[in-house]
């Protein structure tokens, strides 16, 4: 999530937040934080449909954790069903691998 705030473009910020979502959805606090950051980015970029989708997802996160029904691999964006599990996209897998080693890509 920190890298998203330093991203050179909103597209790059979304990729970082999507990777953070895939990893963070296993625990409620980072899962909620990621959606809150996504809502903030949607707001700043005036993407109102994305903002509405993030408000819905913020409401669904506690229910998903309580029920144990989390769509693993889902990037957390409103362009993807909140209920659809997906394989991790290669570009997200690369960001996740970099985060695990402590390296970040050059801007």
């Amino acid at each position: 999530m920190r890298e998203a705030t330093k991203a050179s473009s909103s597209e790059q910020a979304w990729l970082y937040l999507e990777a953070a979502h895939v990893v963070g959805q296993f625990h409620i606090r980072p899962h909620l934080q990621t959606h809150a950051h996504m809502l903030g980015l949607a707001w700043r970029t005036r993407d109102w449909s994305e903002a509405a989708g993030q408000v819905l997802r913020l409401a669904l996160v506690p229910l998903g954790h309580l029920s144990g029904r989390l769509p693993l691999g889902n990037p957390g964006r409103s362009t993807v069903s909140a209920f659809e599990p997906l394989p991790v996209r290669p570009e997200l897998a690369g960001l996740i691998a970099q985060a695990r080693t402590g390296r970040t890509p050059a801007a």
Side-chain angles (χ1 to χ4, degrees), residues 21 24-32 35 60-71:
H21 180 268
Q25 75 184 138
F26 294 103
H27 304 284
I28 192 165
R29 185 174 179 192
H31 196 180
L32 284 167
H35 282 295
L60 290 174
V61 165
L63 298 173
H65 282 272
L66 285 171
S67 69
R69 298 189 67 189
L70 297 170

Side-chain angles (χ1 to χ4, degrees), residues 29-40:
R29 185 174 179 192
H31 196 180
L32 284 167
Q33 289 173 327
T34 303
H35 282 295
H37 283 276
M38 287 180 166
L39 175 59

Side-chain angles (χ1 to χ4, degrees), residues 2 4 26-27 39 41 46-48 59 63 67 69 71 74 83 91 94 99 106:
R2 281 188 299 258
F26 294 103
H27 304 284
L39 175 59
L41 181 56
R46 293 180 167 80
D47 186 343
W48 307 126
L63 298 173
S67 69
R69 298 189 67 189
N74 187 300
F83 306 103
E91 64 272 24

Side-chain angles (χ1 to χ4, degrees), residues 14 18 38 47 49-51 53-54 57 74-82 84 86 89:
W14 280 117
E18 289 173 5
M38 287 180 166
D47 186 343
S49 61
E50 183 69 45
Q54 292 307 319
R57 282 157 178 75
N74 187 300
R77 296 285 303 275
S78 69
T79 54
V80 177
S81 168
E84 185 176 355
L86 297 167
R89 296 191 330 251

